[in-house]
Each structure stands twice: as structure tokens, then as C-alpha cells.
Amino acid sequence: MDLLADPVLAGGAAAVAAALWFLLFGLMALATRGATPQPGPPTGQFGPEPPALAGLMTNGWRFTGHAVAATLLDLAARRLVTIEEIGPELALVRLARGGAPALRPYEQMVLDHVHKLAVDGVVATGALAEGNRNLDRWRKRFRNAVIDESRRLGFSQRRWGRANRRLLIVSAAVPAAAAALLGLNLLPDDGAGAAFGIGMLVFVGLGSLVERLNTERGTAAGAVVAGRWLGVREHLAGGRFAEQPAAAVTVWGHTLAYAAAMGLAPRAVAGLPIAVEADDSRAWSDYGGRWHLVQVRYGAPGPWGLIWGRTSWAVVGNGLLAGSGAFTLVIVGVILGSVLLGWEASDPITLALTAGVTVAAVPIALVLADHVAQLTVEGQLVRCRRHQVGGSGDSPVTYTYWIAIDDGRARAGRAFALEEKDFDRLAEGDLVRARVGRWLGRVREIEVLVPSRHRGTPPDPHPAPAR
């Protein structure tokens, strides 16, 4: 029997190798299941564990973004910050005077972020999503710090030990080799490279499955503590925490922080958007000395949106296309009118040319006016955004680049388009002066007057380790 010459034998070998590997995988998954916590009796007695860790345990050792907001609420309950509700659209986080005590690494991350955003020790709660940072990496660092504490206390561990993981990864080479062998049998004589690629895809896929299931699992000691916290969660679920804003921490204290960590206080969590991306259309600005919300509109309403932000050449080209369309439409209309209605035009070509030139002249005139009538806008950059254009099917991926400037006078405004080379040297929070075309909304020149306090932030000194 020659596996290299018999597709049936090669297929059978591949099926057996895959079945054996998945059998091994299933047995190891069963053997490494975490201890299942038994919910304790409802109680309002909190343990020494912080809200982020309590939330981790009551969610099956799966991290949620609620833990970040809950940590800030816990800092407020400890009087390291205060959260004040000023009005329906504005609440403030105010830093306490004096130094902070020694904090857990993830607590320090949250406090550092508030410090970075604060102006005179105050930041709007909505602005907590602002600031230039790699949010995915920041969240991963926060998550890893919480899990590290859980492991240090003996509450949880990784599903696969080092030996388990190595065995699964190494043994995945067997079904991968069998898949490559099957490919050699089924592909033409010159298909060795493709067969090798099939084997590598199978190996990478099985390795990814191993890593995907390599989640956190509770230990026996962790199950006991998690059961107590599940009792606390049941007790808190009977309260009305879902309706409480973040500023209610001044009344509820640590209780609201724990409720938020366990997913019972969605309004308070939504009011502290530290772990979410900043909204493209809603920007918070401190320009002028007071925090306020700026509504950002991309493009322009109605037909104006067809040319807003486009380059002069693009507008001229579109104008010429529109003029050609108007010329063709008039000619077709004249022909149909003559055939169906018997109407005779004295000079259809002149009529069509007049219509075409008129339609094409409007955008061309706007381009000329745009170069003459320019605005000078000075203020704070509140949004720098790159929007993808195209990229579907065979069309290439291109981008448009937009900025929004808060001039301190209006609480709503349109974003302006600019070139990539200008976009790359800007950062949100920069104080800038820009010359902008009045009709096309395109930046002609832009100057950074004062760099953003978010600019120049040193690289992450504690990058999230691979887990």
C-alpha cells in the first residue's frame, strides 16, 4: 500500500489523524474544565476583592468592559476622584487634591487616563473616551492586570498548562501532514507547493483552536470565592442600580461600583466611557476653558454633499460628467418629443449645449470661488478621522481624511477634508489655524499653534504580554 499513490488511503489516513487529534483535544478539554462555583446565599457583605476582580469571577472568569468603569466608580467611592452631575448633558470627574495611595496596576491605569485628560483637575465624563491611545492594547493591559491578580491570589489559572499546550500544538502536525499528503494525491504533479500550503493551513487552524480555548478557568479556591460573590450579585440584582447615573456613587459608594462590575448598572457604565471608542460625531472639547460637547457632521446636506470635501479636480471632473449627461438628456428629450409629440426644435444642438455648459459651469464656478473665498478657522482639533472609500470587489482601497475644529463659538460644525500628508502631522487636541475653502470644505493650509497634550505620549512602558 502506497499512501503517495492512493488517494483513498491518503484520505482515510487524513480522516483517522484528524479524528484522533480531536479526540485528544476533547479529552484534554474535559480534563481541564474549571471548578464550577455554587452560588452562596444572597448577602450584602462584600469581600476584600475589588470590583474588577469580583466582576471577573461572577462572569465565569471572562473579562468585560464594565470592569473599567467600575474601577473608576471604586476610585470615586474611595474619594480619589469625585463625580458630579452638572446637568442632563454634563457630568464631571474631579481629581482629588494630594497624592494617591499605592494602587493596583489597573487602578493606576484608570487614574492616569483621567489625569491625562483633565484640565485644572477636571474632565467631563463624556470626554473619558477621548485621547489618542491604542484602545485595544490599553484594554488588554487592563484585562491582563486583573487576571494577574486573580492568579496571584490563586483564584484562576490558564486552561492549558505548558505541557498540555505543547502536546496539542505538536500533535497537530500529524493531521496537518496527513492533509498535505492527501493534497499531493489529489493535485497535479506540480502541486507540491499547494499541498504544503494545505498542510500549513490545517496546522495553523488547529493551533488557533487550541489558543482560542486557552481561556481562564477557576480553581477550587476561586470557585469558593466566586460562589460568595454570586450571592452578592443576587442580592444587588434586587436593587434599582440600572437607573443610577455615575454621579450616584456619592450616595451608594462601593455598592454602585460592584453593581457596575457585575453588569447591574448599565447607565453608570455608559456614563463613564473609558473602555469604548470615541464617537466620530460627538466630540468633547475643553477649548475656552469649559468642557462642552461638539456635534460633528461629515459631508453636507442635500446636493452639497456631492462636492463637500472633494478636491478641485474631482469637482471639475464631476461637473464635466454632469454637463455631458445634461447634453445627452436634452438630445434624447428632443428626439422623443419629435417622435411622440411632433414637436420640432429649431436648434436642438444649441439647446443641448446650453444645458450642458450651464450644468458643468456651476461646479467649476464653485471651484474658482473656493480658491478666492477662503475661511480662516482657529481652534482645537476635536476629531481626526480616516474614512475608507472603495475596496469592494476589484476596486482599490482609498481613504479620505477629515478633521473637525472647535472654534469655541458653535456647538456643531462640519468636518473639513485635507490631504494625507497634512493629516499625518496632526493630533486630536492640537490648537490649529487653518485656511479652508468656503464652498468645498477642503483645507488649503493648516498650522499647529500649540501641540496637543496627548501628542508625544511615550510608548507603552508595559506592553500587554501575549497570553
Side-chain angles (χ1 to χ4, degrees):
M1 295 187 297
D2 189 357
L3 290 177
L4 291 176
D6 192 333
V8 176
L9 287 177
V16 170
L20 289 175
W21 187 88
F22 277 104
L23 177 62
L24 173 65
F25 179 82
L27 291 173
M28 291 186 67
L30 287 173
T32 55
R33 287 180 301 175
T36 303
Q38 298 299 319
T43 176
Q45 298 298 317
F46 301 146
E49 295 79 23
L53 190 52
L56 184 73
M57 289 188 283
T58 55
N59 196 45
W61 279 274
R62 292 186 300 272
F63 176 79
T64 68
H66 296 161
V68 183
T71 298
L72 182 55
L73 289 168
D74 188 53
L75 294 176
R78 291 151 65 182
R79 301 293 189 268
L80 298 178
V81 300
T82 57
I83 302 176
E84 307 168 5
E85 190 165 4
I86 307 301
E89 281 283 336
L90 180 63
L92 302 176
V93 179
R94 192 180 303 276
L95 293 164
R97 297 182 181 274
L103 299 174
R104 297 174 176 87
Y106 52 89
E107 294 172 338
Q108 191 64 55
M109 286 177 61
V110 172
L111 192 61
D112 287 346
H113 181 63
V114 176
H115 269 283
K116 185 178 74 170
L117 290 173
V119 177
D120 296 328
V122 178
V123 59
T125 53
L128 292 171
E130 306 288 343
N132 289 345
R133 56 181 170 147
N134 185 325
L135 190 57
D136 289 339
R137 185 175 66 179
W138 192 93
R139 279 190 299 226
K140 189 174 182 180
R141 274 187 57 210
F142 186 99
R143 168 189 174 274
N144 287 352
V146 176
I147 290 176
D148 285 344
E149 182 175 24
S150 177
R151 292 177 184 173
R152 179 177 59 80
L153 295 172
F155 295 158
S156 67
Q157 60 188 23
R158 292 183 71 82
R159 181 169 201 134
W160 309 127
R162 187 170 299 178
N164 303 122
R165 179 175 177 274
R166 185 180 294 120
L167 175 60
L168 287 171
I169 295 295
V170 171
S171 62
V174 178
L181 184 63
L182 179 60
L184 281 174
N185 278 270
L186 298 177
L187 294 170
D189 294 338
D190 57 351
F196 177 78
I198 291 172
M200 287 301 300
L201 284 175
V202 171
F203 182 76
V204 171
L206 296 179
S208 299
L209 179 61
V210 171
E211 294 301 329
R212 186 174 184 83
L213 200 64
N214 196 15
T215 53
E216 203 71 6
R217 64 186 178 100
T219 62
V224 174
V225 179
R228 172 168 53 81
W229 279 111
L230 286 171
V232 173
R233 189 186 190 282
E234 185 176 351
H235 170 75
L236 295 180
R240 300 176 60 183
F241 296 104
E243 307 168 5
Q244 302 299 325
V249 71
T250 57
V251 176
W252 290 99
H254 294 284
T255 304
L256 183 61
Y258 283 105
M262 297 175 186
L264 302 175
R267 183 181 175 190
V269 170
L272 301 174
I274 306 178
V276 299
E277 297 284 355
D279 191 329
D280 284 4
S281 302
R282 290 168 57 88
W284 283 90
S285 171
D286 62 328
Y287 187 63
R290 297 184 65 181
W291 284 100
H292 54 272
L293 181 64
V294 179
Q295 302 285 349
V296 180
R297 299 192 302 272
Y298 297 85
W304 215 260
L306 298 175
I307 64 172
W308 185 263
R310 294 182 178 272
T311 64
S312 299
W313 288 113
V315 174
V316 169
N318 288 340
L320 293 175
L321 287 175
S324 300
F327 176 87
T328 303
L329 187 63
V330 171
I331 292 294
V332 170
V334 168
I335 293 173
L336 290 176
S338 175
V339 172
L340 299 177
L341 304 176
W343 179 70
E344 294 286 341
S346 59
D347 193 351
I349 298 299
T350 300
L351 181 63
L353 280 174
T354 301
V357 169
T358 301
V359 170
V362 173
I364 294 174
L366 286 175
V367 168
L368 295 175
D370 196 69
H371 281 271
V372 175
Q374 295 183 359
L375 303 172
T376 298
V377 183
E378 185 172 325
Q380 184 178 41
L381 275 182
V382 293
R383 282 291 173 268
C384 296
R385 291 293 184 266
R386 183 180 72 168
H387 293 166
Q388 181 175 327
V389 180
S392 61
D394 297 330
S395 62
V397 176
T398 58
Y399 297 94
T400 56
Y401 302 89
W402 299 86
I403 61 171
I405 302 174
D406 174 24
D407 61 4
R409 291 178 292 184
R411 294 297 182 257
R414 286 179 293 185
F416 304 118
L418 73 169
E419 299 292 334
E420 181 181 5
K421 61 181 177 60
D422 293 322
F423 179 87
D424 288 341
R425 61 186 181 87
L426 301 174
E428 288 181 5
D430 285 348
L431 298 184
V432 300
R433 182 186 296 121
R435 286 200 305 112
V436 182
R438 182 186 297 272
W439 304 108
L440 301 185
R442 196 158 186 91
V443 175
R444 304 297 177 186
E445 293 180 7
I446 188 165
E447 173 189 6
V448 177
L449 304 177
V450 180
S452 167
R453 61 182 180 277
H454 309 308
R455 184 192 290 272
T457 302
D460 192 342
H462 306 290
R467 291 185 177 271

